[in-house]
Amino acid sequence: AQTVTQSQPEMSVQEAETVTLSCTYDTSESDYYLFWYKQPPSRQMILVIRQEAYKQQNATENRFSVNFQKAAKSFSLKISDSQLGDAAMYFCAYRTTGGGSEKLVFGKGTKLTVNP
Amino acid sequence: DAGITQSPRHKVTETGTPVTLRCHQTENHRYMYWYRQDPGHGLRLIHYSYGVKDTDKGEVSDGYSVSRSKTEDFLLTLESATSSQTSVYFCAISAFGGNEKLFFGSGTQLSVL
């Protein structure tokens, strides 16, 4: 079974600085998808960024980018120019493909604090 | 925002009573999921559905059952609630497999006393 590990339960960053959240996963598959979700205090789950495993190019979405290392099974999230609104729980997630069993497996999350 | 409604938003119940949580979608999406969220555990998959009457177990399915008789509704039932099932329950939907994003409901806070 696939597993997702986020080794940093909590992180903090100064406003306007850059922070990197770590995620590793374990799988025997070659084709899959990876996601980062943000959960602010409102409890709403918000997709931040996604990466297809077959793409070598790292995904970027404005201030958010990933460092995808397929061989190392690593998928870190970099937040540049951190803003107060970035404070939230961040979850890394893995999704298998095909076969009808396309469930999303989450890590335990990293709580990000942004200091003014 | 995707049309997902979870009901109820909050519920307090007693140990041993049956509880049913409802997820209703207006997107006609094929896949529906139930997750529970607990501190220190993140989101864990309880059950999911890949079509009407097609369901499968997730990693924490013991004590839970589901039903999907219509595309738009996915019910989660706790046959006899226990205190360990106190949690926040999220429903999610997606249209296709692969990299289609999941849309989440707002969650149901369930307290079992």
Side-chain angles (χ1 to χ4, degrees):
Chain A
Q2 295 84 11
T3 58
V4 177
T5 302
Q6 293 179 248
S7 59
Q8 307 151 317
E10 297 187 22
M11 292 280 286
S12 64
V13 63
Q14 291 296 125
E15 196 175 3
E17 296 294 310
T18 296
V19 64
T20 298
L21 308 183
S22 300
C23 173
T24 58
Y25 57 94
D26 185 27
T27 184
S28 58
E29 299 179 336
S30 60
D31 195 17
Y32 49 87
Y33 300 91
L34 297 165
F35 304 83
W36 278 98
Y37 278 86
K38 170 186 177 182
Q39 186 181 41
S42 66
R43 211 165 70 184
Q44 185 66 40
M45 294 289 287
I46 303 165
L47 177 66
V48 174
I49 199 166
R50 63 186 173 199
Q51 174 82 42
E52 292 91 340
Y54 64 87
K55 289 186 177 179
Q56 293 185 342
Q57 186 174 8
N58 290 325
T60 63
E61 287 288 343
N62 300 314
R63 298 182 295 107
F64 299 87
S65 62
V66 298
N67 183 6
F68 173 49
Q69 301 290 327
K70 190 172 183 179
K73 297 180 183 177
S74 172
F75 183 60
S76 60
L77 174 69
K78 185 172 80 171
I79 306 173
S80 304
D81 186 25
S82 297
Q83 301 175 359
L84 295 178
D86 294 334
M89 284 290 292
Y90 286 82
F91 293 96
C92 178
Y94 170 103
R95 186 171 192 182
T96 186
T97 63
S101 59
E102 293 159 6
K103 52 194 175 186
L104 202 64
V105 178
F106 286 85
K108 294 183 178 182
T110 296
K111 182 179 180 181
L112 179 65
T113 300
V114 181
N115 300 309
Chain B
D1 290 344
I4 308 172
T5 304
Q6 288 187 235
S7 58
R9 287 296 309 275
H10 305 273
K11 186 172 182 65
V12 180
T13 190
E14 295 184 348
T15 298
T17 60
V19 176
T20 295
L21 307 183
R22 181 181 185 234
C23 179
H24 178 78
Q25 60 147 327
T26 58
E27 306 295 325
N28 200 36
H29 283 357
R30 177 182 176 186
Y31 295 89
M32 299 186 76
Y33 307 80
W34 277 108
Y35 287 89
R36 61 178 289 175
Q37 184 177 24
D38 304 289
H41 290 279
L43 282 86
R44 293 181 291 174
L45 182 65
I46 305 171
H47 282 279
Y48 65 103
S49 170
Y50 45 96
V52 173
K53 297 185 180 179
D54 291 324
T55 65
D56 204 352
K57 296 179 179 180
E59 62 178 306
V60 290
S61 59
D62 287 348
Y64 302 94
S65 63
V66 291
S67 66
R68 191 170 179 199
S69 58
K70 299 184 292 185
T71 298
E72 57 266 34
D73 290 325
F74 193 33
L75 304 180
L76 176 70
T77 298
L78 292 66
E79 299 291 346
S80 178
T82 67
S83 59
S84 65
Q85 294 176 311
T86 292
S87 186
V88 178
Y89 291 85
F90 284 95
C91 174
I93 65 173
S94 71
F96 304 103
N99 68 344
E100 286 296 321
K101 64 181 287 186
L102 260 66
F103 296 95
F104 284 84
S106 299
T108 294
Q109 174 68 62
L110 176 67
S111 298
V112 183
L113 305 179

